[in-house]
Amino acid sequence: MPTLAIIGGSGFTKLEALEIVRREVVHTPYGEPSAPLTHGMFGGKKVVFLPRHGTAHTIPPHKVNYRANIWALKHIGVKRIVGVAAVGGIGPEMAPGVIAIPNQIIDYTYGRDHTYFENDLSHVTHIDFTEPYSESLRQRLLAAAESSNVTIVSHGVYGATQGPRLETAMEINRLEREGCSLVGMTGMPETALARELDLDYACCAVVANWAAGRGDGPITMMEIEKHIGIGMSRVVCLIAALVSSSDKDG
């Protein structure tokens, strides 16, 4: 079974160059995942791919069944997950088109099913979330970027907002004051749920636009789609290098 999964975000609903072997429908105690799991060969290694927003990109960030997605991947034997996400850039180094591998996250979401530990418990469980991302997987991504000559920002603080609307300029000012250098809508509870199930999880963030108030004029879908296209093509190179460097079980 594949031990590495890629969760694709906006602009990344399919993994180019993936030789599809089969699609698997997984039913979970938490409902249905965003789409069937796509098993395939990528760079000669087994991987599984799941589009976070559904195959046709119809599920908004606040309606994604994060619990079902992560549970399904754990159920089939996945051990490591790379979550690809389109984000807005807040910090000066996070210009559109940049790829960042964040090392911290701040959760501003609400009303989402954010934990597996809530019903029929034999004891209360608290996960250590001091370092939200798997450092070992982050380092593998950084090494993959170096080997594939993909320029990245090796750190960042991801501010996870509710969506589906974009933020106001003053909200972005607040996020910046609180330490965020990136803003997106899908980072939580995905990251925490992976930790609850003891999965290694890292985020590969593609900056699609300057966040509100950071660029010149309003944010347009034309701008977002342009930079997503550029960034995602480089993400494919990065993932290819990551897969090729995987050990025998990955």
Side-chain angles (χ1 to χ4, degrees):
M1 297 299 293
T3 62
L4 174 66
I6 309 299
I7 298 179
S10 296
F12 202 61
T13 55
K14 61 181 179 179
L15 182 57
E16 299 292 346
L18 177 68
E19 181 184 342
I20 297 174
V21 175
R22 64 187 175 95
R23 290 184 171 89
E24 179 180 9
V25 175
V26 179
H27 301 291
T28 88
Y30 306 97
E32 300 305 304
S34 296
L37 307 183
T38 300
H39 294 258
M41 302 296 293
F42 188 77
K45 301 290 181 68
K46 294 179 181 179
V47 298
V48 63
F49 179 77
L50 175 63
R52 185 186 291 114
H53 299 285
T55 305
H57 199 269
T58 55
I59 307 172
H62 65 298
K63 290 294 187 180
V64 172
N65 192 337
Y66 297 96
R67 291 196 299 182
N69 287 349
I70 300 299
W71 191 95
L73 294 174
K74 171 79 171 184
H75 179 70
I76 67 165
V78 163
K79 296 179 181 178
R80 298 186 294 273
I81 300 173
V82 174
V84 180
V87 300
I90 300 175
E93 74 278 25
M94 301 300 186
V98 162
I99 297 174
I101 312 298
N103 59 304
Q104 278 293 333
I105 193 165
I106 301 177
D107 188 8
Y108 298 96
T109 65
Y110 51 87
R112 302 183 182 189
D113 293 325
H114 65 282
T115 182
Y116 296 107
F117 302 131
E118 59 181 5
N119 296 315
D120 303 318
L121 302 178
S122 60
H123 61 279
V124 176
T125 301
H126 303 284
I127 59 168
D128 177 15
F129 209 49
T130 306
E131 302 296 334
Y133 300 106
S134 164
E135 187 58 26
S136 62
L137 186 51
R138 286 188 70 256
Q139 290 302 320
R140 290 179 69 164
L141 281 167
L142 299 183
E146 183 175 1
S147 68
S148 59
N149 294 316
V150 173
T151 302
I152 61 170
V153 177
S154 63
H155 60 278
V157 180
Y158 184 130
T161 58
Q162 180 70 359
R165 69 168 177 84
L166 298 174
E167 301 74 27
T168 69
M170 287 304 294
E171 286 172 333
I172 294 301
N173 288 345
R174 174 198 172 194
L175 266 62
E176 184 175 43
R177 288 195 302 270
E178 294 179 357
C180 299
S181 55
L182 300 163
V183 60
M185 302 175 190
T186 58
M188 289 292 287
E190 190 170 279
T191 308
L193 291 169
R195 178 63 54 84
E196 287 190 350
L197 294 188
D198 295 320
L199 298 172
D200 285 341
Y201 179 96
C203 175
C204 181
V206 178
V207 181
N209 56 276
W210 284 115
R214 294 297 183 271
D216 298 324
I219 299 169
T220 67
M221 288 308 301
M222 183 180 298
E223 173 194 9
I224 290 174
E225 290 170 0
K226 171 187 173 183
H227 291 114
I228 284 180
I230 294 170
M232 291 304 176
S233 64
R234 294 164 60 213
V235 167
V236 171
C237 296
L238 177 60
I239 291 173
L242 174 69
V243 169
S244 68
S245 68
S246 297
D247 54 25
K248 63 182 180 180
D249 74 346

